Amino acid sequence: MGDSQSIAELYSKHNMGQPANLPGGLGHFNVFKLDPFVGSKANPIPYKKRDYYKITLVQGQGRVHYADRVIEVKQQALTFTNPQIPYSWENTEQISGGYFCIFTDHFFHQFGNLKQYSVYQPQGTHVFELTDEQLNEVIPIFERMLMEIGSDYLHKYDVLRNQVFELLHFAMKLEPATHMSHQPITAASRITGLFTELLERQFPIDENHQTMQLRMASDYAEQLAVHVNHLNSAVKETTGKTTTQLITDRILKEAKILLKFSNWNISEIAFALGFNEVTHFSNFFKKQTGVSPIRFRKGIES
C-alpha cells in the first residue's frame, strides 16, 4: 500500500501540468471533466489516502472500497472523499464520464469547517446513487464551475466555494431524515467526537504511519485528559457501544484492509496494529471473524 497521494502527484500522473496555489493563501481548487480519466484504458484507482478533498460525479458503473465496505455504483453517483478516509475505485473502465473538483482545507479557511458536514465524517454517507432527475440537477453545478474557473471575474473563487457548498447540501438533503435530525451537542457527544477523531487519526496504517500507538481506552483518556470511566460513560451514552468495542471494531477494519490491499506479511500487520505476538493477532482476528488472517487473505471467509 502506498502513502498519501498529493495534489502534485495527481497532476503529474494524469499530465495535468502543475497545480497552482490560489493568491492570498487560499489553498488550491480546480474542476475537471472526468472523461479523460476513465473508459476502456482506465486503471483501477489504488487504495490510499489523498491530501485533498474531492467531489466526483460519476456516470457509469463501478465499485468504491472504503475500508472493509464495498459500495456498488449501478448507474450514476455523487461521491465525496477527504484526506482522512482512504478509498479505492475499481471497474473504472465502465465509467463513461462525469466531473470532479478538488480542493484543500485552505480553500475553506475562515469559510467553515468541512468536518462538520456528514459527507466528510468517518461514519457519514460518502456515495450517493442518483436518479436521472437528480443527475440533471447536479450536472449544471459542475458546468457552472467549469465556466466560472475559466472566467476573469475577480471574486470567482467565492462563487466556486458557494458551488461546492451547493453540492454538499444537495447530497446531504438526500440522506434519510433520521440521519439529518438535529442532535443537541452535549458534553458526552463532545468527548466522543474527540475520541473518534483520535482513533481515526491513526489510520490508515501504511509506510509513513506504521504502528498504532493508542490501543486501550486508558490511552485515549490520557490523551483527552479525562478519567477513563468518564470517557467510557460518554462513549456508551452517545454510541451505545463501549470504548473498547469501538477500538476493536476499528482495529479489525484496518486488519481487513491490510490483509486485502497490502503485501505485508501477517507478522508485519500484527506489529503495525500493536500486537506484540502474531499469535495474539491471529487469535483476535479469528475470534472477531471466525476465520484466520491467512484464510481471510485467500478469500476464504467461512
Side-chain angles (χ1 to χ4, degrees):
M1 263 190 340
D3 55 357
S4 175
Q5 183 191 54
S6 68
I7 282 184
E9 289 168 338
L10 172 71
Y11 274 68
S12 175
K13 178 181 177 182
H14 296 292
N15 299 314
M16 293 153 53
Q18 290 296 316
N21 285 330
L22 306 182
L26 291 178
H28 182 83
F29 178 91
N30 215 335
V31 58
F32 305 90
K33 284 197 170 186
L34 195 58
D35 306 47
F37 308 100
V38 295
S40 59
K41 296 182 179 180
N43 294 318
I45 297 173
Y47 185 87
K48 61 171 62 179
K49 279 186 176 182
R50 280 77 180 165
D51 73 351
Y52 48 87
Y53 291 80
K54 185 176 183 181
I55 304 176
T56 309
L57 175 61
V58 170
Q59 294 172 268
Q61 299 177 349
R63 281 193 290 270
V64 195
H65 293 261
Y66 286 102
D68 60 344
R69 278 186 304 140
V70 179
I71 299 176
E72 296 274 353
V73 174
K74 298 176 182 177
Q75 187 174 2
Q76 57 227 0
L78 190 61
T79 72
F80 295 81
T81 54
N82 69 58
Q84 284 72 49
I85 302 176
Y87 68 95
S88 68
W89 266 94
E90 65 172 329
N91 286 12
T92 50
E93 70 277 2
Q94 296 180 33
I95 296 172
S96 58
Y99 306 81
F100 69 93
C101 63
I102 54 175
F103 48 93
T104 60
D105 255 327
H106 286 297
F107 185 63
F108 279 89
H109 183 57
Q110 298 181 338
F111 292 94
N113 178 8
L114 292 175
K115 294 177 183 177
Q116 71 179 303
Y117 299 106
S118 58
V119 293
Y120 284 133
Q121 293 172 353
Q123 304 305 319
T125 302
H126 308 124
V127 180
F128 297 82
E129 189 84 34
L130 303 179
T131 64
D132 290 344
E133 182 179 347
Q134 290 163 346
L135 176 69
N136 290 333
E137 292 183 63
V138 173
I139 286 176
I141 301 174
F142 280 100
E143 288 289 350
R144 292 201 307 273
M145 280 184 173
L146 287 167
M147 186 179 301
E148 195 66 50
I149 203 165
S151 76
D152 56 4
Y153 177 51
L154 180 62
H155 303 291
K156 66 181 178 182
Y157 290 106
D158 290 340
V159 178
L160 287 161
R161 197 175 291 109
N162 287 335
Q163 288 166 342
V164 171
F165 276 127
E166 194 174 348
L167 290 171
L168 288 175
H169 291 295
F170 179 89
M172 289 190 294
K173 287 178 182 179
L174 300 179
E175 291 186 297
T178 52
H179 291 175
M180 300 297 292
S181 59
H182 177 69
Q183 297 292 332
I185 298 175
T186 64
S189 63
R190 278 195 293 269
I191 291 172
T192 301
L194 292 170
F195 159 74
T196 302
E197 185 176 342
L198 272 179
L199 179 61
E200 289 296 331
R201 198 183 296 166
Q202 300 186 89
F203 304 102
I205 301 292
D206 56 30
E207 286 85 349
N208 291 337
H209 194 177
Q210 289 193 333
T211 307
M212 186 176 178
Q213 301 295 325
L214 306 176
R215 282 288 313 275
M216 311 293 292
S218 56
D219 297 332
Y220 291 89
E222 183 178 348
Q223 288 288 315
L224 296 172
V226 299
H227 193 280
V228 66
N229 291 343
H230 185 40
L231 173 62
N232 287 334
S233 175
V235 169
K236 182 72 173 179
E237 177 185 330
T238 308
T239 69
K241 291 186 175 183
T242 66
T243 312
T244 300
Q245 278 179 297
L246 293 176
I247 296 169
T248 296
D249 290 348
R250 191 59 184 89
I251 292 173
L252 180 64
K253 181 182 289 187
E254 195 68 13
K256 289 179 177 180
I257 292 167
L258 291 167
L259 288 167
K260 283 185 176 180
F261 295 103
S262 80
N263 57 7
W264 294 1
N265 63 40
I266 305 299
S267 296
E268 289 170 327
I269 292 172
F271 175 75
L273 293 174
F275 293 88
N276 294 325
E277 300 287 342
V278 67
T279 52
H280 295 165
F281 170 65
S282 295
N283 291 338
F284 162 85
F285 193 89
K286 188 167 185 178
K287 180 180 178 182
Q288 300 299 323
T289 65
V291 296
S292 70
I294 293 174
R295 287 174 66 84
F296 180 85
R297 172 166 268 177
K298 291 179 178 178
I300 306 170
E301 301 188 24
S302 61

